[in-house]
Amino acid sequence: MNLEEIGEFGLIKKVKPLCFIRKKNIIKGIGDDCAVYEIDKENAALLTTDMLVENVHFLRNKITPYDLGYKTMAVNLSDISSMGGRPSDAFLSIAIPGDITVEYLEELYEGMMFLGMKYNVNILGGDTTSSKTGLVLNIALTGVIGKDNILYRGSAQSGDKIYVNGYLGESAAGLDILLKDIDLNYKLKSHLIKCHNMPEVYIDEGIFLSESGLVNACIDLSDGISSDLLHICEESTCGAVIYEDKLPVSKELQEYTKSTGKNPEEIILSGGEDYKLLFTVKKDYSGQLEKDYFEKFGQKIICVGEIIEGDQIILKQKNGKERNIKPTGWDHFSSGT
Ligand code: ADP
Ligand code: MG
């Protein structure tokens, strides 16, 4: 069987039953943004790992070593934030091709430790090897969280409002600009490329959401709403409605789509690597959370839909018609159909 036939997530589903042989101390294994272990009566440990591979996740001539280091740490922190946790310590494993210099690697570590210092995260170890192909970077990151506050993918309830905590689609636009050398004004280009190369991290926001008691489910948007909302729906056994006219389009994304003739909402649904939080808020409490979040962070959270019963994800289009959303986000082995 070709991997293409089942895709990345089909593969994970297939190997899952082979992986889990001991229940003791494990609160959550495969299937969420982090694994969760019991530490004591009140607290749990989180563990996540994410890998960036040259020519799959990045092109070395399109990102500085500093930004690449930043991004490697950011994508792992993002998984901790989506559970509502506080990061602790990182391990970095790295496979290095022959043409990489020591100076390159020093800059890479500086980029990682910019976020390390911001969030008090050590790098406590790792592994180093040569690579016959590209540069490979893998961080494993631990975190801690109060057991009662953990935000899972699988606890959305019918009637919950679906929220995101910022503009979407900008990272995909930045990637498109990098890949095609699209000529746009400098300010616009640098903003969108920065969204792709140096995504913001929302640790404090994740902790706030987890401690609010008003959020049922959460995931970080690594693969695009169409794919990541499906993870929430599958794990929670529910469906969802998304309102196309509520999807948050920044003025920069608008400008980019005007110049390129693309549809901003399509980019938002399928574009990956925004690393914003997608979360569901308990019925009747969304107004309160909107207000509290704004008071705390000076930023708005945006309601983009609602959790419903069933297993469909429906897009209410601007033209009034409805259509089913299929996962069109990133899958490492899918043929794109
Ligand atoms: P994320 O995008 O949040 O990093 P993924 O979609 O990569 O999460 O992974 C989904 C789930 O599958 C996670 O719980 C992850 O730990 C698990 N997983 C991913 N790859 C493997 C693998 N090769 N073997 C076992 N579990 C895996
Ligand atoms: Mg994730």
Side-chain angles (χ1 to χ4, degrees):
M1 187 193 285
N2 283 328
L3 275 173
E4 209 177 77
E5 286 173 47
I6 53 171
E8 175 186 351
F9 301 108
L11 173 69
I12 294 170
K13 270 188 199 149
K14 228 180 190 8
V15 298
K16 190 172 164 178
L18 302 172
C19 294
F20 196 48
I21 49 112
R22 172 181 51 78
K23 280 193 179 151
K24 193 169 184 299
N25 294 340
I26 310 297
I27 300 176
K28 180 82 200 179
I30 294 174
D32 219 305
D33 292 295
C34 298
V36 186
Y37 297 74
E38 182 163 326
I39 301 180
D40 57 33
K41 258 192 174 158
E42 276 104 50
N43 299 297
L46 303 172
L47 177 56
T48 183
T49 182
D50 245 316
M51 179 156 60
L52 298 190
V53 177
E54 183 173 356
N55 297 329
V56 177
H57 298 96
F58 65 93
L59 297 171
R60 220 196 300 163
N61 62 351
K62 300 284 188 189
I63 186 164
T64 65
Y66 185 94
D67 291 2
L68 182 60
Y70 173 102
K71 188 165 181 177
T72 310
M73 188 63 93
V75 299
N76 281 279
L77 286 166
S78 181
D79 277 328
I80 298 280
S81 73
S82 75
M83 307 291 290
R86 195 178 294 283
S88 309
D89 298 295
F91 286 73
L92 173 75
S93 296
I94 180 164
I96 311 169
D99 60 339
I100 294 251
T101 63
V102 174
E103 290 73 19
Y104 184 101
L105 294 168
E106 279 174 338
E107 265 189 58
L108 189 98
Y109 273 80
E110 277 164 24
M112 273 187 289
M113 287 316 287
F114 169 81
L115 283 175
M117 280 187 276
K118 182 164 179 191
Y119 292 111
N120 212 17
V121 172
N122 297 303
I123 296 178
L124 286 186
D127 196 18
T128 305
T129 142
S130 61
S131 169
K132 297 250 186 289
T133 54
L135 176 63
V136 179
L137 298 157
N138 178 252
I139 282 184
L141 182 64
T142 62
V144 285
I145 187 164
K147 258 188 191 168
D148 296 337
N149 294 337
I150 306 169
L151 299 177
Y152 294 105
R153 293 177 178 182
S155 15
Q157 299 283 330
S158 172
D160 284 2
K161 301 273 187 230
I162 302 170
Y163 277 82
V164 294
N165 72 329
Y167 292 122
L168 303 177
E170 294 186 303
S171 173
L175 174 63
D176 192 42
I177 292 166
L178 284 173
L179 292 179
K180 298 187 190 142
D181 274 325
I182 298 172
D183 192 25
L184 297 167
N185 81 60
Y186 178 78
K187 213 171 142 207
L188 177 61
K189 246 168 104 159
S190 3
H191 171 82
L192 295 172
I193 290 173
K194 188 163 184 210
C195 290
H196 182 71
N197 282 347
M198 298 185 80
E200 292 228 14
V201 173
Y202 297 105
I203 293 293
D204 295 337
E205 290 80 352
I207 292 170
F208 172 83
L209 295 177
S210 75
E211 289 179 351
S212 74
L214 305 181
V215 174
N216 275 338
C218 187
I219 188 169
D220 66 322
L221 284 164
S222 54
D223 299 332
I225 278 206
S226 65
S227 297
D228 290 322
L229 181 57
L230 180 68
H231 293 319
I232 287 199
C233 289
E234 279 185 347
E235 293 290 322
S236 304
T237 326
C238 63
V241 179
I242 292 287
Y243 311 114
E244 191 179 26
D245 63 348
K246 297 275 169 50
L247 293 172
V249 179
S250 69
K251 65 178 192 321
E252 288 87 355
L253 184 67
Q254 193 92 55
E255 226 181 297
Y256 155 85
T257 49
K258 251 190 213 155
S259 307
T260 53
K262 296 192 173 174
N263 176 323
E265 285 80 16
E266 279 305 315
I267 295 176
I268 286 178
L269 289 171
S270 60
E273 299 198 283
D274 280 312
Y275 294 106
K276 301 282 180 340
L277 298 173
L278 173 73
F279 52 98
T280 80
V281 180
K282 288 181 182 162
K283 210 161 137 179
D284 304 331
Y285 291 96
S286 54
Q288 187 189 327
L289 191 71
E290 282 183 22
K291 186 171 145 290
D292 294 350
Y293 189 99
F294 188 78
E295 269 174 21
K296 173 114 181 142
F297 298 107
Q299 304 280 335
K300 284 186 178 162
I301 53 173
I302 305 114
C303 181
V304 295
E306 197 173 316
I307 297 291
I308 55 172
E309 282 176 15
D311 58 2
Q312 307 290 307
I313 301 183
I314 297 158
L315 180 70
K316 286 214 163 145
Q317 299 179 115
K318 284 181 185 168
N319 62 13
K321 292 188 181 149
E322 293 185 355
R323 74 171 166 88
N324 271 40
I325 305 183
K326 299 263 178 298
T328 48
W330 182 252
D331 182 314
H332 276 279
F333 306 111
S334 115
S335 52
T337 52

